Amino acid sequence: MAINFSTINLEVIDISTNATPDIYINQNGITFSKRVLEDLNYPQMVQYCNDAEHKVFAIRVCKSNEAKAVSFSKARNEQNGTLSCGNKNLHDILVLFIPDYQPKKRYKVTGEFDAENRVIYYDMTTAEVSEFRAPKE
């Protein structure tokens, strides 16, 4: 059976953006995928949140006058690619939530986006070792 190509509705695939809002944690810091920035709409300010009991990390969009607001992204047209964070305090909290964390490994955690509240949640217990760019031992 032949396809009637006049009925096909093509959509352009954005190959520059991850399919999921991932974060990567290694001994040097945290990298937020471009999808994190896209989902949160390139926010200037965010709050980093956690639930220690459930080992959940979250990024919540906020205003600059809210408690513990931190600078996050540049504007969409200025932000190139991923975003890295070398904050030691944040890093130290996140690695405590990763089961059997090993400093020489790189971990990937996929987030769940809550569009209504502009929050991405990360269940840190689901962290997987990411072999991409893994250091040679």
Side-chain angles (χ1 to χ4, degrees):
M1 181 174 191
I3 295 175
N4 179 355
F5 291 105
S6 66
T7 63
I8 300 294
N9 183 20
L10 294 177
E11 292 183 25
V12 176
I13 300 170
D14 184 355
I15 61 171
S16 67
T17 303
N18 299 46
T20 54
D22 300 327
I23 58 172
Y24 297 89
I25 298 113
N26 64 24
Q27 63 188 355
N28 299 320
I30 303 138
T31 301
F32 302 93
S33 71
K34 191 170 179 184
R35 183 57 183 257
V36 171
L37 303 171
E38 293 272 336
D39 283 354
L40 295 176
N41 196 25
Y42 294 85
Q44 183 178 2
M45 305 299 287
V46 297
Q47 290 171 317
Y48 296 126
C49 309
N50 73 323
D51 178 330
E53 181 182 348
H54 295 101
K55 296 185 174 161
V56 169
F57 165 64
I59 306 166
R60 184 177 81 82
V61 175
C62 68
K63 295 184 169 120
S64 61
N65 62 349
E66 292 185 60
K68 299 181 183 168
V70 295
S71 180
F72 192 65
S73 176
K74 297 177 185 172
R76 179 185 306 265
N77 59 348
E78 296 175 26
Q79 184 69 46
N80 297 323
T82 62
L83 178 78
S84 294
C85 174
N87 185 293
K88 185 178 176 348
N89 296 331
L90 179 59
H91 183 269
D92 289 351
I93 290 168
L94 296 188
V95 299
L96 288 175
F97 293 167
I98 298 174
D100 305 317
Y101 175 77
Q102 297 175 30
K104 297 224 183 264
K105 299 209 181 252
R106 180 178 192 250
Y107 294 86
K108 172 187 166 187
V109 186
T110 298
E112 294 289 327
F113 179 49
D114 175 352
E116 184 177 332
N117 295 303
R118 293 184 68 196
V119 177
I120 300 179
Y121 296 95
Y122 295 91
D123 178 351
M124 300 304 289
T125 63
T126 65
E128 299 176 346
V129 173
S130 173
E131 298 300 331
F132 178 65
R133 295 187 194 161
K136 293 183 173 140
E137 299 195 25

